[in-house]
Every structure is written in C-alpha cells, then in structure tokens.
Amino acid sequence: MRIAFLGIGLMGEPMVRRLLAAGHAVTVWNRTHAKAEALAAIGAYPVAALGDAVREAQLVISMLEAGPTVGLVLHDALPSLAVNALWIDMSSTQQAEAQAFHALLTARGRRFVDAPVSGGVGGAAAGTLAIMAGGATEDFAEAEPVLAAMGRATLVGPAGSGQVAKLCNQLIVGATINIVAEAMLLAQAAGADPAAMRAAIRGGFAESKILEVHGQRMLERNFVAGGKVATQLKDQRNILAAAEAAGVTLPLTELVTARYQTLAQTMPQADHSAALLGLEALNPGQRVGTAPDRLA
C-alpha cells in the first residue's frame, strides 16, 4: 500500500521509520521540507508539494501540531486526494474538529478515521503506541494492518471518538504528573528520600507509567522535551472544551489546566514533567534532589 505521511516532527519521524520497517512505501511531506528530505536515506520518498504527496496515495496519515493545522492541510490536499482515499489523522485535535474533517471528506467521496496516539517518542520509536481510533468499522479494518506497524490500535466508536479517548488519556496523564510531582516534593520536604519513596510504593496501588517514567525524570531533573508543556496545555484546553460540549464539569482538570497555563508562560517547550518546577516555584526553598536542571 502506498502511504502519504504528512508531518515529520518528534513523533512523525519515528512513526515513518516503523512504517518503512514494515515494508510500506511511504511518501513524506512536511512544511519544512528538509525534515522530509532527511528520511530519504532510510527509504522514504520526500515530496515538496502537498498535492503531489497525496495524489497517488491510497492512505494518508497526518501527524500535525493541532486541529487548525490539520484543517488547513486537509483543505489544501483535498483537490489532489484520490476518490475513496482513506485519511487517518493521528494528531491530537478537538472532537468537533475530527467530526468536521469526517463530514467534509465523506461529502467529497473520501473517508476518514481519527486515530490519536499515546506513548510518546519512545513508544513511537518502539512501535508500541496506544492508538485510539474513531470511524466506520470497515475503514478501521482497512487501516488496522498499517496502524499495527506503529502500535496497538483499538476502535472506540464513530468519528471523533478516538479524540475523546485521547483526551481521557491526557486528562489522566496531566493530572497524574502533577500528583507525582507533589509526592516527590512532599517526600523531600518531610525528610524522606524521594527516590527511596518512589521505589517503596512501586508495585502497589500507586504504580503507573507516569510514576515509572516521569518520576524518574523528576529525580534526574531531566526536563528535555518528550511531551511538551505547550502540547499538554493544548490537550487540557481540548479536554475542557469536550467537557463543556458534553455538559459535564471537571474540577480537577480545571486546576491542572491552570497549573500548565502558568508553566507555559516561562517554559512552554520543556517536558510536561516540568510540572515539578512549577510546584517548586510555589514552595520557595524546596527542591527535589541535587542534580542540575536539564531543559535542552
């Protein structure tokens, strides 16, 4: 199957590598063409013009920064998109945006699946992403063998449902990172060794991927971006938009959003585990560990 992959960023680049390793023919496009050109050495076919990238593709995958960008790229690509082509958007967008993309493509004789991911750059490189898909059963069945090269895909409902599942994921991630930061700082301030505290509670009810990965990042004070503060803030705002549309109030999510909004004012490009830095700013004189901060 010939695939067009649009968006060669932190996540897109390793995802393309996984597709190539699985034997797919992949045309790559990026607004900054040099990023696409860099993948020619591993077998991708970089194309500078968006229309040329999608023209002969049976399947188009977009991995872009946000819904408005996806919308612009989709509208620009649509005149060149083959009839009945399947567009899989793996970006993180609002549910309403995904539903609008689905409606537009369906009206023009094309198909759409929203399939956002969780697992970060490490999961993308390992091909272990959690992929949450929304769309028609038959379209998902066509997409699943391709998605399998990048991770584990699950159909969670009609178009837009993948984005809802991703927002639920990000709700848990954003809140848990902040809770882990609070646990680390409390241990330090109360005289316990934060690293020993983390080791002691692992395997119990508090165990999580966040405690494993971001807890270690906090101990090492490694805030080099995997998932960015700015990206987490975008997700938090999308969660609140989905909650408003669904008619529910999420008080803890509102608090977490406020924390990331404050942090984004000074370090938007840091890893989202930099929530610890924001917490330390609220507690002058308290600091987890002695290692220097790594931000780049």
Side-chain angles (χ1 to χ4, degrees):
M1 180 177 293
R2 176 158 290 281
I3 299 167
F5 197 104
L6 315 178
I8 313 301
L10 279 175
M11 293 290 290
E13 188 265 350
M15 291 166 73
V16 169
R17 288 180 178 273
R18 297 301 307 186
L19 291 169
L20 291 169
H24 296 292
V26 186
T27 298
V28 290
W29 174 89
N30 195 71
R31 285 175 295 180
T32 303
H33 185 54
K35 292 184 177 181
E37 284 186 309
L39 293 176
I42 59 169
Y45 181 58
V47 174
L50 176 59
D52 292 339
V54 304
R55 184 167 285 109
E56 296 183 5
Q58 300 163 269
L59 189 151
V60 176
I61 298 174
S62 51
M63 189 61 173
L64 302 163
E65 62 184 356
T69 304
V70 177
L72 288 172
V73 170
L74 193 155
H75 279 85
D76 288 347
L78 190 52
S80 303
L81 194 61
V83 173
N84 206 43
L86 176 58
W87 189 298
I88 304 174
D89 181 37
M90 304 188 77
S91 320
S92 293
T93 74
Q94 294 184 16
Q95 178 188 17
E97 290 171 326
Q99 292 169 332
F101 301 150
H102 173 262
L104 174 63
L105 286 167
T106 300
R108 302 291 183 87
R110 282 79 169 181
R111 298 170 295 146
F112 178 82
V113 168
D114 55 299
V117 305
S118 178
V121 176
T128 58
L129 293 170
I131 305 171
M132 298 143 276
T137 302
E138 58 272 22
D139 293 338
F140 175 75
E142 182 178 330
E144 189 174 17
V146 174
L147 297 175
M150 298 176 282
R152 176 181 55 83
T154 303
L155 181 65
V156 296
S161 299
Q163 295 300 341
V164 173
K166 173 60 186 288
L167 293 178
C168 292
N169 179 87
Q170 292 307 95
L171 183 158
I172 294 169
V173 168
T176 306
I177 285 175
N178 279 268
I179 291 299
V180 169
E182 291 190 6
M184 291 289 187
L185 193 68
L186 175 61
Q188 180 80 42
D193 178 351
M197 176 278 296
R198 173 175 170 271
I201 67 175
R202 293 200 61 192
F205 280 175
E207 178 66 286
S208 70
K209 197 71 173 178
I210 299 298
L211 182 64
E212 175 191 349
V213 175
H214 292 288
Q216 186 62 35
R217 273 182 165 271
M218 292 174 192
L219 289 170
E220 296 172 355
R221 303 194 69 83
N222 174 14
F223 306 116
V224 178
K228 296 178 182 179
V229 167
T231 303
Q232 184 66 44
L233 177 58
K234 177 202 72 174
D235 291 338
Q236 294 293 140
R237 288 170 171 162
N238 285 347
I239 294 164
L240 293 177
E244 182 178 4
V248 296
T249 299
L250 304 177
L252 291 180
T253 298
E254 291 174 358
L255 289 173
V256 172
T257 303
R259 296 304 308 137
Y260 277 112
Q261 190 163 347
T262 298
L263 195 59
Q265 294 173 6
T266 55
M267 50 187 69
Q269 301 306 308
D271 187 82
H272 46 189
S273 60
L276 177 65
L277 297 177
L279 181 62
E280 289 172 344
L282 292 175
N283 294 273
Q286 299 292 345
R287 188 178 190 274
V288 173
T290 58
D293 293 342
R294 291 172 54 200
L295 292 163

